Amino acid sequence: AQTVTQSQPEMSVQEAETVTLSCTYDTSESDYYLFWYKQPPSRQMILVIRQEAYKQQNATENRFSVNFQKAAKSFSLKISDSQLGDAAMYFCAYRSSYNFNKFYFGSGTKLNVKP
Amino acid sequence: NAGVTQTPKFQVLKTGQSMTLQCAQDMNHEYMSWYRQDPGMGLRLIHYSVGAGITDQGEVPNGYNVSRSTTEDFPLRLLSAAPSQTSVYFCASKGPHSTDTQYFGPGTRLTVL
């Protein structure tokens, strides 16, 4: 089974600064998808960004971007110009291209944003 | 368009009791899944369905049953609740294409005493 590891249980960033959350994964598959989800205190899971493994270009969504290193099996999330509303748990997730239902999640990183 | 809805939001059970967590989606999605989220851990897949009448096990299926009689509904049944099933449960749905986004419900916090 695939495994997803987030080695930073908690991180803090100053408002307007940049922070990077780390994620590594283990798989023998060549085609897959990677995701970052945000979970605020409301518990709602919100998709932040997605990366297809066959795409070399790193995905970006406004202030959120990823650094996808396929050979290293690394998938980090960079949040630029951090805002108070970015404070939440962030989960990295892996999904096979062969089974659209099987998502594997990391244990999460709690992001604190200081004013 | 309500998306994915779950009921109840909170539930307390005694060991050995049974109950059903309800999940419904109004997006005509074929794929639906149930996850549990425990403290310090990410979401883990319990069961999933690729369409009405078709279900399969995920990572942690023991102690849970599911059925999918309609496209819209995907209930999760606990036949005999145990304290180890204390968790937050999320239902999710997704369209059939690999690029489709998975949408999550708001979750049910279940406590088994």
Side-chain angles (χ1 to χ4, degrees):
Chain A
Q2 284 72 14
T3 57
V4 179
T5 302
Q6 294 178 248
S7 58
Q8 307 153 315
E10 189 166 359
M11 294 191 71
S12 295
V13 64
Q14 207 71 31
E15 193 175 7
E17 298 291 306
T18 296
V19 65
T20 299
L21 309 184
S22 300
C23 173
T24 59
Y25 58 94
D26 186 28
T27 183
S28 57
E29 298 176 340
S30 59
D31 197 14
Y32 48 87
Y33 292 78
L34 295 165
F35 305 82
W36 279 99
Y37 280 90
K38 171 185 178 181
Q39 187 181 45
S42 67
R43 283 203 320 242
Q44 185 71 46
M45 293 289 286
I46 302 165
L47 178 64
V48 174
I49 199 165
R50 175 178 66 195
Q51 174 80 42
E52 291 91 338
Y54 65 87
K55 290 186 177 178
Q56 292 187 335
Q57 187 173 7
N58 289 325
T60 61
E61 287 287 344
N62 300 314
R63 297 182 295 107
F64 299 88
S65 61
V66 299
N67 183 4
F68 173 49
Q69 302 289 328
K70 190 172 184 180
K73 296 179 181 176
S74 170
F75 182 61
S76 60
L77 174 69
K78 185 171 83 171
I79 305 174
S80 303
D81 186 26
S82 297
Q83 300 175 359
L84 295 177
D86 294 334
M89 284 291 292
Y90 286 82
F91 291 96
C92 178
Y94 170 103
R95 196 203 80 202
S96 168
S97 288
Y98 308 105
N99 187 325
F100 298 162
N101 276 283
K102 288 197 170 181
F103 282 72
Y104 297 90
F105 286 82
S107 55
T109 296
K110 183 180 181 183
L111 179 65
N112 303 306
V113 181
K114 300 178 180 179
Chain B
N1 188 334
V4 181
T5 58
Q6 291 182 236
T7 55
K9 285 189 167 51
F10 302 92
Q11 182 71 48
V12 179
L13 293 179
K14 294 181 180 179
T15 297
Q17 287 185 316
S18 63
M19 82 158 295
T20 299
L21 306 184
Q22 301 292 344
C23 174
Q25 53 92 8
D26 60 359
M27 296 173 281
N28 202 33
H29 285 168
E30 295 181 14
Y31 295 165
M32 295 186 74
S33 305
W34 276 103
Y35 296 86
R36 61 178 288 173
Q37 183 180 26
D38 301 308
M41 302 182 72
L43 278 68
R44 291 183 292 166
L45 184 64
I46 303 172
H47 285 287
Y48 65 95
S49 169
V50 299
I54 306 170
T55 63
D56 205 348
Q57 297 180 349
E59 287 181 82
V60 288
N62 293 339
Y64 307 95
N65 281 348
V66 291
S67 60
R68 183 99 179 268
S69 56
T70 67
T71 299
E72 294 78 18
D73 300 300
F74 190 43
L76 178 72
R77 282 183 290 276
L78 286 71
L79 297 179
S80 179
S84 60
Q85 294 179 303
T86 293
S87 189
V88 179
Y89 291 85
F90 289 93
C91 180
S93 76
K94 180 186 166 307
H97 306 294
S98 62
T99 54
D100 288 336
T101 297
Q102 179 167 237
Y103 294 92
F104 286 85
T108 294
R109 181 177 293 278
L110 175 68
T111 302
V112 183
L113 302 175

